[in-house]
Amino acid sequence: MKTKKQKNVIQWLLKPLMVVTLFFNLASCVEQVDKSKSGTDAATDTSEKIESAIDLTGMKIGYCTPSLNAPYYQALLQSIQASTEKNGMVFLSADGQDDINKQISAVEDLITKGVDALLLNPKDPDALVGVTKLAKAAGIPVFIIDSSIDPSADFVTTIQSNNLANGELAGEWLAKKFGKEKMNIALLSGNAGNPVGRTRKQGLLQGITEEQLRTLGYIDLDIKTQMYTDWSYAGGLKAMEDILVAHPDINVVITESDVCVLGAIKAIAQAGKTDDILIVAGADGQKEAIKYIMDTDFYGCTAMNSPVQIGKNAVEYAIQYINGKRDFKKTSFTAPLLITKENAAKYYDPKALF
């Protein structure tokens, strides 16, 4: 039986998760992007005017999101909209509604509307290849943002956080934290085959093993299980409940994204294991995760995957293309950054959407 003090601790731990759940439920009701509902608050608008030799007035930037059913996607959309409108351009957007066929149709609609540049966050790396070729045939440059697409697609560049480097930083931190102590690891992933998740996972494992080889001279990597969460709070909760039953000796949870593990915290707390399990995320720097890092010892670190910066960079590169630049690298990264208790307060913004 739990004491009153234990119940109060669990209630404190779960309070921010209730807020996350409520947000997800509200966001899932959104089907089409409405400018009046998705516009960035002027008080938090940090977008900048980008230098352009061409008059951008009236030019159209189109953006297609795979979904709006997560704070990250909402924040990314707002950043792109703010940067687009700050530079006098028209912002057109469409929501794939977490359905590949709907996202394909949404992109085709943006192409029909004659956007001057198309920003695409593909739900699937293969299914959206065809629409990039349609865009090229229409003379529209395509910029892949946040996620990845098959190399056979026609696109200018991919703009995303450095998922490999961020994962390596988090894995290295974990290996240093445990030293020679045995780690029994559970891995929470987004969904099978996702290229971004795969790269983050690769970074986490490389960071752990390289640090162990450097300091111990050997590798001790014991991953008891991998579970998929579908990048959701509910998925993380269900996965962690199953893990705790099948593998009660777990003392580390590594994850490809904060959102994969935020729901898992509820299961960990209800099992009374917040003192026994350490969480390490390879991305994203979500505000709820940063708050846990600041206030607890069970959420060790996460790495920055800023939707605001990615949105700004995407619009800037689109404007550079409109101005004649063509020598883009095939992948453009934001700077890797590890968030721990030592620097978490610097990056925590309670008013941030994400």
Side-chain angles (χ1 to χ4, degrees), residues 297-340:
D297 292 321
F298 64 77
Y299 209 125
C301 67
T302 186
M304 181 63 78
N305 174 29
S306 169
V308 174
Q309 191 60 54
I310 289 175
K312 287 180 181 178
N313 288 2
V315 175
E316 181 175 358
Y317 294 162
I319 291 174
Q320 289 176 355
Y321 188 95
I322 290 169
N323 277 268
K325 179 179 170 65
R326 294 294 183 270
D327 56 337
F328 291 89
K329 294 179 180 179
K330 232 22 186 171
T331 304
S332 305
F333 295 121
T334 57
L337 172 69
L338 188 68
I339 301 173
T340 66

Side-chain angles (χ1 to χ4, degrees), residues 9-300:
V9 170
I10 291 175
Q11 289 173 352
W12 177 84
L13 290 170
L14 302 185
K15 187 175 180 181
L17 296 175
M18 294 170 65
V19 176
V20 176
T21 306
L22 176 60
F23 188 95
F24 282 8
N25 290 338
L26 290 173
S28 65
C29 298
V30 180
E31 290 191 353
Q32 200 66 30
V33 178
D34 184 327
K35 178 178 174 181
S36 65
K37 296 178 182 177
S38 64
T40 305
D41 187 338
T44 59
D45 181 5
T46 59
S47 56
E48 300 173 354
K49 191 78 178 290
I50 299 165
E51 184 177 346
S52 174
I54 294 174
D55 183 5
L56 301 172
T57 305
M59 287 192 171
K60 293 178 283 188
I61 297 290
Y63 170 56
C64 188
T65 176
S67 169
L68 284 171
N69 194 22
Y72 184 91
Y73 291 141
Q74 290 271 346
L76 180 56
L77 182 144
Q78 288 194 5
S79 176
I80 294 169
Q81 178 175 354
S83 295
T84 297
E85 295 178 347
K86 187 81 169 186
N87 287 278
M89 298 181 291
V90 177
F91 177 68
L92 300 178
S93 60
D95 178 9
Q97 300 176 48
D98 225 4
D99 182 291
I100 290 172
N101 292 324
K102 289 182 179 179
Q103 187 173 33
I104 291 172
S105 296
V107 174
E108 290 173 343
D109 183 57
L110 289 173
I111 293 171
T112 300
K113 290 177 178 177
V115 295
D116 295 283
L118 173 64
L119 311 184
L120 173 61
N121 191 347
K123 177 175 173 60
D124 181 89
D126 300 314
L128 277 295
V129 169
V131 291
T132 67
K133 297 183 183 298
L134 288 176
K136 183 177 181 179
I140 300 170
V142 177
F143 297 82
I144 304 300
I145 62 173
D146 178 43
S147 192
S148 299
I149 200 164
D150 188 85
S152 64
D154 284 310
F155 64 100
V156 177
T157 185
T158 296
I159 302 119
Q160 58 185 206
S161 63
N162 195 327
N163 292 299
L164 184 66
N166 273 337
E168 287 177 338
L169 289 174
E172 178 183 340
W173 182 93
L174 176 61
K176 287 179 178 178
K177 180 76 174 178
F178 267 74
K180 294 182 178 181
E181 184 182 349
K182 175 69 175 175
M183 291 189 287
N184 299 314
I185 302 173
L187 170 61
L188 289 182
S189 295
N191 57 287
N194 183 280
V196 169
R198 185 169 59 244
T199 302
R200 290 174 180 175
K201 176 169 56 184
Q202 179 184 352
L204 281 163
L205 300 182
Q206 283 184 190
I208 294 169
T209 56
E210 287 295 327
E211 179 59 23
Q212 287 182 335
L213 284 172
R214 188 181 70 82
T215 57
L216 304 178
Y218 61 86
I219 294 173
D220 183 7
L221 184 62
D222 189 358
I223 298 180
K224 299 290 188 180
T225 185
Q226 177 184 26
M227 298 286 283
Y228 293 105
T229 67
D230 200 28
W231 308 104
S232 72
Y233 170 93
L237 171 61
K238 177 63 167 61
M240 199 67 227
E241 288 174 340
D242 293 343
I243 288 169
L244 291 172
V245 171
H247 303 278
D249 60 337
I250 289 297
N251 60 358
V252 176
V253 174
I254 61 175
T255 179
E256 295 166 6
S257 169
D258 289 322
V259 72
C260 296
V261 82
L262 286 171
I265 292 173
K266 180 178 180 180
I268 294 170
Q270 288 180 335
K273 291 199 169 188
T274 53
D275 291 335
D276 305 320
I277 295 175
L278 180 65
I279 295 169
V280 167
D284 284 301
Q286 189 166 338
K287 69 177 182 181
E288 290 83 5
I290 297 177
K291 181 65 172 170
Y292 277 126
I293 291 170
M294 290 168 59
D295 295 346
T296 76
D297 292 321
F298 64 77
Y299 209 125

